[in-house]
Amino acid sequence: MQRRWGWVLAPVLSLVMLSLTYAHWRSEERGSRERRDVNFQVAAERIGYNLADRMATYEMVLRGTRGYFEGSERIDRQEFRSYVSSLQLQETRPGLKGISLILKLPAASLSSHIEDMRQRGFPQYTVRPPGDRPTYAAVTHIEPLDAENQRVLGLDAYMVPAAREALDRAADTGALAVSALLPLAQDEPAGGARGLVMYLPIYANGAALDTLQQRRAALLGWVSAPFHLAEVVAGLSREFDSDIGLDVLDGDAQDGSNHLYTDARLEHGQAQRQAIRPMLFGGRTWNLRMVPLPAFEDRYEYETHHLSALIGALLSVVLGWFAWLLATGRARAEALAYAMTAELRGARDELASTLNAIPDLLMEIGPDGRIAYCRSGHLAPLAEPARHFVGMQLEDIVQPDAAAGCRAAIQAATATGYSAGHQFRLDLQGQPYWFELSIARKPGEGPGEPPCFIALSRDITERKNAEARSHQLAYFDALTQLPNRRMLMDRMEQAVAAAQTSKQMGAVLFVDLDNFKQINDARGHTVGDAMLKQVAQRLFSLLRPGDTVARLSGDEFVMLIGHLGTDIEGAGRAALLVAETVRAALEVPYSIQTHLYSSTSSIGITLFPKQAEGTEDLLREADTAMYRAKDMGRNRIRFYEAAMQADVQERLALEQDLKKAAIEGQLAVYVQPQVNAQGAVVGGELLMRWNHPERGNVPPSRFIPLAEASGLILRMGDWMIGQACDALAKLQAQGQALSISVNVSERQFRQEDFVERIRNVLAATGAKPELLILEVTESLLIENLDDTIARMTELVQLGVRFSIDDFGTGYSSLAYLKRLPLYELKIDKSFVQDTPGDPNDTAIVQSILAVAGHLKLRVVAEGVETQAQADFLIQSHCECLQGYLFGRPQPLGAWLDKQVGLGA
């Protein structure tokens, strides 16, 4: 009977143990597949996000170019080339072949258009393919204008079916449109490769665009950008998981015939596992099909649960066999006592070998929670600590934050018999190791005895490191290790929500390095990257706990500062102090490769929370304030104000209007006479006036600074000098020897060919140089004084004379007066208007006249409006007077007719 029970019990026990082992193996196998699937989905999402983000940056480039074209009456090719060159398409946006302008031409204007293009420097230009059509869509501008892009000039995009569909869609919707695959003219004559083209419509300024008919009627053309999707993907390769294959299809993901891009490593046919992500771009739906490659699958083929299952199976067989031996009865046991002893020793040794083969940390925990036995397997750093774990509580050997989880795992095993999944960290030999804890309940040694526990801690350090690397790539900048835009937006949302709850205001600081591009271009990207790392370190060192600094792109950084105060005034002062600290820290020279490099920063600030404004609004406000700081001269700090955005838009509109004004003849030349002590006219000062058709008379104080900042002052200044010389020539023809004064801006004076321009206009008009007086301000004399003196001397040698305008309001240094080849000083009207009643202004005017007399300089007093002022100036020996008392500014033509009449 006893022998029969032995034959039954042994197989049953082995089957039970094998079932438990199989269940454990199945659980671990399922966990391995889940981890693989989760990591694959994360990698697929990152690929889709990065590709969508890159295409969004391409769209922003195209929108900026459309704004450039819409604001220009006639596109200067050199200006367009400079604009596109500054975008650095090949370095920052790989894949774009260039940026082009397509004009919509009716058949009636085709001949004049071709003639105009040939006069612009393209003698072989024509619209291709030839033929009579009611409407043409001709490529007229493209940059960079290399050999490949030159093949595109004159191409009628309407003759390419895929292009025409996208052109019409863009024109009808007013939105970005991307074409289907089509052959690019840049790739001829090699052929083979096909690309895509993005289009944005350009409409007539001020036209109504509410209906489809209005948009079609107002259409002028398109801006476009051809690109190869394969080059775009190659440019993003560092941001993709290299073991994930990418397939981009245009339209239905089930239709495998319309591939935009295919990874060469992908095999044809349906993959066992894949992820498909739709992506809307330019009015088309791209389906991104991502397939894990064999290398990705291999990452999960070496999990340790297979070995654990094998060990469990061996233990099951051994325990079953051992149970069979025990159950065969005393008689047999006594008969085989010596043999069984040998067998038990062999089983013990085999079990020890099996336990030694377990690579992870194996522990037996007693009923009191203390470790009764510990084996470290093959993890060398655990060998010594494992011996000291015996007698300690499990929560004593883990980090404090993991102790509660270990206690909960033991309680779960006590209640259910098994618990798994709790993770904890051990610091071994100065390195962190991560383990995943599985605990199984072991019955007590006798009836009524409390249970013990077997704990297996699997080493998951490599898996945790891989998760950390994935998180680092998704949320941190690869160069500086600072948070990237994605993490910044998450933290900004949290900060705004916290500020709304706590009523504590915070600030967003937008930091941009001044002139970083020059250092990067001159010294290379290695020096530029090293400098950006040092900037990141300095900004990070200034952070308070809870604040954030992130790198957006290039040399742009954003600081998120919280808890600055409960009122706007206090928070503003605190934010300004932080910004001043940042500005001072970034001014310190950077030591890179034994060289010192200096740079400054422009900082824009906006406060939060604000009603109904999200994180994107705050970032845009700080960006706008930063550009205002740059406009104010760089190395400045500026706050965002509600009117600032409107001011920026108004300034842009006024700049475009001023550009048109110079072309359409809205600018006029006025002259204010200058008289001598006897009241006779001896000359005049030319003044520019702008009569806008809608704004009316725009004051010079408003449009002259705008012209200075935009560079339009160069063209306007040349025009004014030409008008002055024409006027002198007309006066000379009638025997009049009157002088003409004209203002010269600092930007105009600093042109490399300024002297040559003056020489040419004098030669062309025949005007006498000694009657032309160029008025400059004192600020021109502060920088590069030696160069200024050399250039003025060269012009004086031609006969031209110089005057210092508004003398006394600037630096008024006597040191430069004796060095400059001057002819005249002009006393500013602010000093004249209170003479002779104000003793201070009277003394200043008399001092200027005395200094001028010693230096033998002529003096012109501006702003003379009363006879008392005139009498005082004449008595003080002022040679020349100018002001409303003697005449208001009048059109140049009328003044010339009057002077000619007086001379006759």
Side-chain angles (χ1 to χ4, degrees):
M1 187 68 176
Q2 191 178 31
R3 184 184 297 270
R4 186 167 61 249
W5 276 107
W7 284 102
V8 174
L9 180 62
V12 170
L13 181 60
S14 294
L15 286 175
V16 171
M17 294 298 294
L18 286 172
S19 299
L20 292 175
T21 300
Y22 177 76
H24 173 70
W25 176 81
R26 287 288 297 171
S27 174
E28 293 298 319
E29 179 72 11
R30 185 167 55 253
S32 177
R33 288 197 303 270
E34 290 175 354
R35 287 189 295 274
R36 178 189 59 194
D37 293 340
V38 167
N39 288 339
F40 171 61
Q41 293 299 325
V42 169
E45 290 293 340
R46 184 159 58 250
I47 291 174
Y49 172 82
N50 288 334
L51 183 57
D53 186 67
R54 177 55 57 87
M55 300 314 298
T57 62
Y58 289 179
E59 180 178 354
M60 291 302 296
V61 169
L62 215 54
R63 290 189 181 278
T65 306
R66 179 174 69 177
Y68 173 85
F69 280 121
E70 287 179 340
S72 302
E73 181 71 19
R74 183 180 178 91
I75 305 303
D76 182 88
R77 290 190 177 273
Q78 186 60 40
E79 292 179 358
F80 182 45
R81 181 175 295 111
S82 300
Y83 173 82
V84 175
S85 297
S86 66
L87 298 178
Q88 295 182 307
L89 297 180
Q90 297 302 318
E91 294 79 8
T92 61
R93 298 167 181 87
L96 283 185
K97 306 297 289 184
I99 299 178
S100 58
L101 170 66
I102 301 176
L103 289 182
K104 182 180 179 182
L105 300 171
S109 62
L110 180 63
S111 299
S112 60
H113 165 72
I114 294 175
E115 181 63 26
D116 179 60
M117 289 294 291
R118 290 179 178 177
Q119 291 180 358
R120 291 198 197 188
F122 299 91
Q124 304 301 320
Y125 177 85
T126 187
V127 175
R128 301 173 285 109
D132 294 330
R133 298 182 286 278
T135 308
Y136 301 81
V139 179
T140 63
H141 293 69
I142 187 166
E143 291 293 339
L145 195 58
D146 52 24
E148 292 181 353
N149 282 335
Q150 285 185 5
R151 303 192 192 107
V152 183
L153 284 178
L155 177 66
D156 184 0
Y158 264 169
M159 297 305 292
V160 181
R164 178 153 194 161
E165 183 276 332
L167 288 167
D168 291 340
R169 180 157 40 89
D172 290 349
T173 63
L176 178 77
V178 65
S179 71
L181 275 177
L182 52 79
L184 297 181
Q186 288 92 336
D187 297 328
E188 296 176 2
R194 296 192 298 169
L196 303 166
V197 187
M198 300 182 293
Y199 301 99
L200 266 178
I202 303 176
Y203 300 108
N205 284 335
L209 304 175
D210 299 327
T211 66
L212 177 62
Q213 290 74 16
Q214 289 174 339
R215 289 192 291 272
R216 289 179 175 177
L219 181 67
L220 299 179
W222 302 262
V223 287
S224 68
F227 63 95
H228 284 130
L229 190 57
E231 296 177 9
V232 175
V233 174
L236 290 169
S237 60
R238 292 185 178 179
E239 301 176 37
F240 291 174
D241 191 324
S242 60
D243 294 333
I244 302 294
L246 173 63
D247 194 2
V248 183
L249 299 98
D250 190 4
D252 188 2
Q254 305 302 322
D255 181 9
S257 63
N258 199 6
H259 287 266
L260 300 179
Y261 168 79
T262 300
D263 193 323
R265 300 172 296 174
L266 289 178
E267 298 180 357
H268 296 289
Q270 186 71 20
Q272 292 184 347
R273 189 153 45 87
Q274 62 183 9
I276 296 177
R277 298 289 186 272
M279 172 180 160
L280 297 178
F281 178 65
R284 302 185 76 87
T285 300
W286 292 356
N287 280 285
L288 312 183
R289 174 175 171 265
M290 288 147 285
V291 179
L293 299 175
F296 184 90
E297 305 286 356
D298 291 342
R299 299 178 189 174
Y300 304 92
E301 291 298 322
Y302 302 102
E303 302 277 0
T304 58
H305 59 276
H306 300 297
L307 182 59
S308 299
L310 176 61
I311 294 172
L314 292 175
L315 288 174
S316 300
V317 174
V318 172
L319 290 176
W321 174 64
F322 186 67
W324 176 81
L325 290 176
L326 293 177
T328 53
R330 283 185 190 174
R332 190 169 180 274
E334 292 173 355
L336 300 175
Y338 292 105
M340 287 184 64
T341 300
E343 292 289 345
L344 287 174
R345 287 174 179 170
R348 180 197 64 190
D349 294 340
E350 185 176 355
L351 181 58
S353 298
T354 300
L355 293 176
N356 286 334
I358 297 176
D360 303 309
L361 184 64
L362 182 67
M363 295 178 287
E364 182 176 348
I365 302 175
D368 58 354
R370 297 188 179 277
I371 300 173
Y373 173 82
C374 186
R375 180 182 294 272
S376 64
H378 296 311
L379 193 58
L382 264 177
E384 184 64 26
R387 287 194 287 269
H388 299 290
F389 291 163
V390 176
M392 299 174 65
Q393 297 278 353
L394 179 59
E395 54 262 35
D396 293 338
I397 68 174
V398 300
Q399 299 291 330
D401 56 349
C406 291
R407 287 193 295 271
I410 293 178
Q411 292 171 0
T414 302
T416 64
Y418 180 76
S419 70
H422 177 68
Q423 298 177 358
F424 64 91
R425 191 187 77 182
L426 289 179
D427 292 329
L428 305 173
Q429 298 182 359
Q431 297 293 328
Y433 286 83
W434 282 90
F435 296 89
E436 187 173 74
L437 182 65
S438 299
I439 300 179
R441 186 180 63 197
K442 176 183 176 183
E445 296 181 357
E449 291 290 331
C452 299
F453 302 93
I454 301 297
L456 181 65
S457 298
R458 299 176 52 238
D459 179 15
I460 59 169
T461 303
E462 185 58 35
R463 190 178 84 193
K464 294 291 288 186
N465 290 339
E467 293 174 355
R469 287 192 295 269
S470 297
H471 183 270
Q472 184 76 15
L473 290 173
Y475 290 97
F476 290 87
D477 176 55
L479 177 65
T480 63
Q481 305 305 310
L482 293 178
N484 59 14
R485 184 188 184 94
R486 184 176 181 182
M487 177 169 281
L488 173 66
M489 302 308 289
D490 290 343
R491 293 190 178 178
M492 284 181 66
E493 290 181 359
Q494 298 172 13
V496 171
Q500 291 171 341
T501 302
S502 66
K503 308 303 181 183
Q504 279 280 341
M505 300 194 71
V508 178
L509 276 63
F510 202 110
V511 183
D512 185 272
L513 301 183
D514 299 328
N515 302 318
F516 171 76
K517 184 177 182 298
Q518 286 83 339
I519 296 176
N520 200 42
D521 292 345
R523 298 300 182 185
H525 292 290
T526 300
V527 172
D529 289 349
M531 186 172 177
L532 291 176
K533 290 180 182 179
Q534 292 191 26
V535 170
Q537 292 168 359
R538 294 184 186 183
L539 294 177
F540 185 80
S541 67
L542 298 176
L543 288 183
R544 304 174 306 172
D547 295 341
T548 299
V549 59
R551 181 190 178 208
L552 290 192
S553 63
D555 57 346
E556 295 179 338
F557 298 84
V558 172
M559 298 184 72
L560 179 63
I561 311 297
H563 297 88
L564 293 177
T566 56
D567 61 285
I568 293 179
E569 183 177 354
R573 286 196 302 269
L576 182 60
L577 289 176
V578 173
E580 284 288 358
T581 303
V582 170
R583 189 181 65 82
L586 298 184
E587 272 188 324
V588 178
Y590 300 85
S591 178
I592 304 172
Q593 297 177 356
T594 70
H595 294 283
L596 292 178
Y597 298 91
S598 296
S599 181
T600 58
S601 61
S602 298
I603 303 175
I605 307 174
T606 188
L607 301 178
F608 66 86
K610 298 178 181 177
Q611 185 175 6
E613 289 197 4
T615 55
E616 291 287 355
D617 298 320
L618 292 174
L619 203 59
R620 173 183 51 78
E621 290 176 359
D623 189 18
T624 301
M626 181 274 293
Y627 276 107
R628 172 60 64 88
K630 284 189 176 292
D631 290 344
M632 297 296 291
R634 304 178 186 272
N635 196 23
R636 304 290 180 90
I637 300 170
R638 286 292 177 271
F639 276 92
Y640 178 84
E641 300 169 357
M644 186 179 295
Q645 188 70 23
D647 181 50
V648 170
Q649 294 173 347
E650 170 64 16
R651 177 177 176 177
L652 179 60
L654 191 62
E655 180 180 334
Q656 297 301 328
D657 288 349
L658 183 58
K659 190 174 182 180
K660 292 180 181 178
I663 298 174
E664 297 175 358
Q666 298 175 15
L667 301 177
V669 182
Y670 277 56
V671 61
Q672 187 172 31
Q674 297 172 342
V675 303
N676 59 17
Q678 291 74 37
V681 176
V682 295
E685 179 185 0
L686 294 193
L687 304 171
M688 185 179 295
R689 294 293 183 263
W690 180 14
N691 186 16
H692 191 279
E694 297 176 0
R695 303 175 188 267
N697 289 321
V698 183
S701 60
R702 188 177 179 192
F703 72 82
I704 292 298
L706 186 61
E708 285 272 10
S710 64
L712 291 173
I713 195 66
L714 300 179
R715 186 188 308 169
M716 294 161 59
D718 287 346
W719 179 65
M720 286 292 287
I721 291 176
Q723 292 291 312
C725 291
D726 284 339
L728 287 174
K730 291 178 181 178
L731 290 171
Q732 291 168 203
Q734 299 299 322
Q736 297 284 342
L738 302 180
S739 64
I740 297 291
S741 300
V742 61
N743 287 279
V744 175
S745 72
E746 179 177 355
R747 191 166 185 174
Q748 184 182 4
F749 182 85
R750 298 294 182 196
Q751 292 180 101
E752 290 293 334
D753 60 344
F754 180 68
V755 175
E756 189 63 29
R757 287 172 180 266
I758 298 296
R759 181 184 288 111
N760 291 339
V761 73
L762 287 172
T765 59
K768 292 182 178 180
E770 60 270 18
L771 297 178
L772 176 64
I773 301 175
L774 302 182
E775 295 185 7
V776 297
T777 60
E778 293 180 81
S779 61
L780 174 69
L781 311 173
I782 301 307
E783 296 184 3
N784 301 322
L785 181 59
D786 292 337
D787 179 69
T788 300
I789 293 173
R791 185 163 296 188
M792 290 177 66
T793 301
E794 192 174 354
L795 286 167
V796 168
Q797 290 173 351
L798 293 177
V800 178
R801 297 178 177 182
F802 278 92
S803 172
I804 295 183
D805 194 16
D806 300 333
F807 184 77
T809 61
Y811 299 91
S812 302
S813 172
L814 300 179
Y816 66 74
L817 286 181
K818 65 180 182 180
R819 297 182 58 189
L820 295 171
L822 295 174
Y823 168 71
E824 172 184 279
L825 300 180
K826 297 191 74 173
I827 303 177
D828 186 69
K829 64 181 180 180
S830 62
F831 299 124
V832 175
Q833 63 187 4
D834 291 330
T835 60
D838 188 305
N840 293 328
D841 285 343
T842 299
I844 291 174
V845 171
Q846 290 174 336
S847 299
I848 294 175
L849 289 169
V851 170
H854 286 295
L855 296 176
K856 295 181 174 50
L857 300 177
R858 188 175 83 152
V859 177
V860 178
E862 294 182 299
V864 181
E865 298 180 357
T866 66
Q867 189 61 49
Q869 294 170 350
D871 293 341
F872 160 72
L873 291 167
I874 293 171
Q875 291 172 6
S876 301
H877 307 291
C878 182
E879 304 173 52
C880 192
L881 309 176
Q882 176 181 339
Y884 287 173
L885 180 63
F886 309 106
R888 291 178 175 271
Q890 58 183 301
L892 177 59
W895 184 78
L896 287 175
D897 292 341
K898 180 179 180 180
Q899 299 310 314
V900 170
L902 291 175

